[in-house]
Every structure is written in C-alpha cells, then in structure tokens.
Amino acid sequence: MAKLCIIGAGAVGTAAAHWAAVKAVAEEIVLIDIVPDLARGKALDIAQSAPVYGFSCRVWGTEDFGALKGSDVVILTAGRPRKPGMSREDLLRTNLEVVRSCAEAVRDLAPESILIVVTNPIDAMVYAAFRTTGFPRNRVLGMAGVLDSARYRYFIAEALGVSPRDVQALVMGIHGDHMLPLTRLANVAGIPVTDLLPPEKISEIVERTRKGGGEIVSYLKTGSAFTCPGLAAVEMAGAVLRDEKRVFTCSVWLEGEFGFSEVFIGVPVVLGAGGLERVLTFELTEEERKALKASVESVRKQMALTGL
Ligand code: APR
C-alpha cells in the first residue's frame, strides 16, 4: 500500500493533496503542518469530497511528524511563499531553517522515502534537503521543470490557438530568471515551434515563462502559484509510486552530466520506482551551454548562501 506524505498544508500542500487524491497516486495521503489542526481541517475537507468525486484513498492530516513513518514519497512544501517585490533569494534565509528541520524529520522517520522538494528557492532548498538527509541523489528531487515547462507549453499553445496537450517543450536550468526554455526543441505534435511562430513572439513567450511565477505573485499579492505547482509535484510522485519511467525536468544533483558536477539544476530525467533513474543528456548548442552555465552559477550562489 503506497503512502504519500505532504509536509506543509498551505496553498501548495493542499493543492497537492487534492490532486493526489483525484489522481489516486497513493492509497494513503497524509498532510502535515506545524500549525495545530490546520492539516487536519484541510485533509478532512478533501476527504469529504471522496463520495462526490469518487476516490477511495484515505486522506488525513496532523501536526505530528510521526505520521511520516512508512512514507514511500514525501513532498515538502513547508515554508513561506513569495510576496510582490520579493526575490526567490529573499526567501532563502526564511525557508532554510524550515526545510532543514523538515528534512531532519524525513531522514529520521522516513529514511527509505523519496523526497520531492517544492519550497522556494527550489534549487537551493533541494540542496539543503540533500545535505540534511544524506540521502543518495536518486532520492532527493526538486520540483521546478514540470511547472516551468507547463507554463512554457501553455503560452505557446495560447499563441498558436492549439491544445496545450499537443505542445511539447523543455525548460532546463535554475527555477528563476536564468531558466532555459529551449526554443530549438519546442514543438507542436512534432512540428518545430520556430517554424510556426516569429522569433519576436517566441522571445516574448520565453521571457513570460521566465517570469511566470512573478506574474502570478503580482496578481495574488499575498501568495504565489499553487494549483500547477501542487499538480506538478504530484505528477512526479505518481511517476515514482507507479514506476512509470516518466521523463520530466527535475532539479537533481549533477555528477558530470552536461559538463557540471556538485550542483542541483533542472535537467531531463527518467523518474521511476528508484526516483531519479537516469539523466537524459543530449548535445547542447554553444549558446545553450552558455545559458546553462549562467544558470549553474546562479544556483551555486544560492547554494553558498545556505552555508552547507
Ligand atoms: N513544518 C511544517 N509546516 C510548516 C513549517 C514547518 N517547520 N513551517 C511552515 N509550515 C507551513 C505553514 O504553517 C503553512 O501552512 O507551511 C505552509 C506554507 O503554506 P503557504 O504559506 O500557503 O505557502 P504555499 O503557497 O503553500 O508555498 C509553500 O512552496 O511554491 C513554494 O514558494 C513557495 O516556498 C513556498 C512553498
């Protein structure tokens, strides 16, 4: 029986629990939050939608981290979201302690689990979780690429008036302004987007993708995106729990792939029962390599700020 624990019953954690139940990725879904009763209330609300929607998994919430025991996958969303005018770096100091304490609990109580980190700034927080848990690299993953690629695909579909399902596109690198939405590889049912849209429109879409999180923060004012981030984390969890061998961009610890080592960065990987099973490497153009290098340098700066 598969068990999924989600730490943080805020906007993203609650969305993740909701999607996990609807998509039936685990038989048991547990929400954990330090605020007394919060996770209990959020989980009960989701559980009560079971008869209406028609799912049969068990959803419950608690403030007791002991509930982590026996988890196959843990999604970590605890921490503050961005506010308008706040960079992901501003968030780093605030969220570092939260991520470290939650990662310690995961290390001690769910030592065999696969950990998916969603808390921002993702690439630095997943590094902090990797160092804190001491888990091997295949079991510590950052969720960013699934979300960034979804935004990129959505904007391309919107510009072309086609179904977003038929747009495939890859976003690599840091989850932030230096991310790399690869234009060369974006396609609509196999047709290169570069043949379908003028370069100025593609540049506009790339820029909007890079600032995708900020655009939502500017509208929401008191928080950041949650529906798509929650779903993206659940897609990753589902790939692991069902051993699906899905190909997603995830922030993972590189060991020489794409010419980089000892850094967490978004690259395409195969996700299955073992977590990260393989990094899918391919030849980058000179320009793409330069952009990925800039991304790596930004992450290294964030990693240094963690002091780990
Ligand atoms: N242990 C458990 N839960 C915690 C802890 C902790 N140590 N510290 C904070 N939390 C909980 C808060 O009580 C809150 O319920 O984390 C939750 C965060 O929820 P929100 O404030 O709604 O934030 P959310 O929008 O869900 O974003 C969470 O995900 O996408 C990222 O940038 C985002 O870093 C942010 C994180």
Side-chain angles (χ1 to χ4, degrees):
M1 198 179 89
K3 178 171 177 179
L4 170 67
C5 252
I6 300 162
I7 309 180
V12 178
T14 305
H18 172 199
W19 285 117
V22 163
K23 292 178 78 74
V25 297
E27 282 80 18
E28 185 178 5
I29 299 161
V30 188
L31 259 179
I32 303 177
D33 201 287
I34 37 161
V35 175
D37 287 339
L38 179 68
R40 212 179 295 272
K42 295 285 187 80
L44 186 59
D45 185 26
I46 295 169
Q48 288 169 353
S49 62
V52 184
Y53 184 84
F55 59 80
S56 18
C57 50
R58 180 168 171 242
V59 185
W60 60 287
T62 178
E63 51 279 342
D64 177 7
F65 275 76
L68 280 167
K69 279 184 204 146
S71 299
D72 299 289
V73 173
V74 177
I75 297 177
L76 176 50
T77 77
R80 295 259 175 83
R82 268 199 293 169
K83 298 263 165 64
M86 203 177 184
S87 71
R88 287 191 175 88
E89 283 73 15
D90 292 333
L91 263 188
L92 193 141
R93 283 174 196 82
T94 318
N95 285 345
L96 181 61
E97 280 322 302
V98 172
V99 166
R100 291 212 71 191
S101 69
C102 294
E104 279 167 12
V106 174
R107 176 195 65 201
D108 298 343
L109 296 160
E112 302 303 324
S113 64
I114 288 172
L115 177 59
I116 299 171
V117 178
V118 180
T119 307
N120 266 311
I122 290 168
D123 305 280
M125 293 301 107
V126 68
Y127 169 68
F130 176 64
R131 284 287 184 232
T132 308
T133 55
F135 285 2
R137 77 159 180 164
N138 63 302
R139 292 203 283 119
V140 187
L141 311 161
M143 186 295 292
V146 181
L147 171 65
D148 297 328
S149 304
R151 287 177 174 154
Y152 191 34
R153 292 165 64 193
Y154 175 77
F155 295 143
I156 291 169
E158 191 183 45
L160 286 168
V162 300
S163 167
R165 282 173 69 189
D166 295 321
V167 178
Q168 282 300 335
L170 177 63
V171 179
M172 291 171 63
I174 189 173
H175 182 57
D177 296 349
H178 283 291
M179 73 179 72
L180 252 82
L182 295 178
T183 47
R184 180 172 63 97
L185 300 174
N187 69 82
V188 180
I191 308 158
V193 165
T194 45
D195 287 359
L196 300 172
L197 285 172
E200 319 79 70
K201 185 65 194 173
I202 296 178
S203 305
E204 195 186 293
I205 290 173
V206 163
E207 210 35 42
R208 193 171 175 201
T209 303
R210 288 200 176 112
K211 305 262 162 66
E215 183 178 358
I216 292 179
V217 169
S218 75
Y219 292 134
L220 296 185
K221 300 191 174 61
T222 54
S224 54
F226 51 92
T227 305
C228 195
L231 175 59
V234 165
E235 282 297 282
M236 288 171 62
V240 171
L241 292 164
R242 297 189 184 126
D243 193 21
E244 287 177 320
K245 318 290 185 203
R246 294 289 308 271
V247 178
F248 289 138
T249 305
C250 302
S251 185
V252 299
W253 185 245
L254 292 190
E255 292 174 347
E257 294 91 352
F258 293 100
F260 299 103
S261 282
E262 309 211 326
V263 64
F264 267 93
I265 200 89
V267 292
V269 305
V270 178
L271 281 193
L276 160 67
E277 297 194 343
R278 210 153 31 110
V279 177
L280 291 183
T281 53
F282 59 97
E283 206 60 46
L284 294 175
T285 65
E286 200 40 46
E287 201 186 332
E288 288 162 356
R289 266 198 56 77
K290 262 200 224 144
L292 188 61
K293 189 159 179 274
S295 229
V296 164
E297 278 159 14
S298 302
V299 175
R300 286 204 200 282
K301 277 192 201 130
Q302 289 187 357
M303 280 166 46
L305 289 175
T306 66
L308 296 169

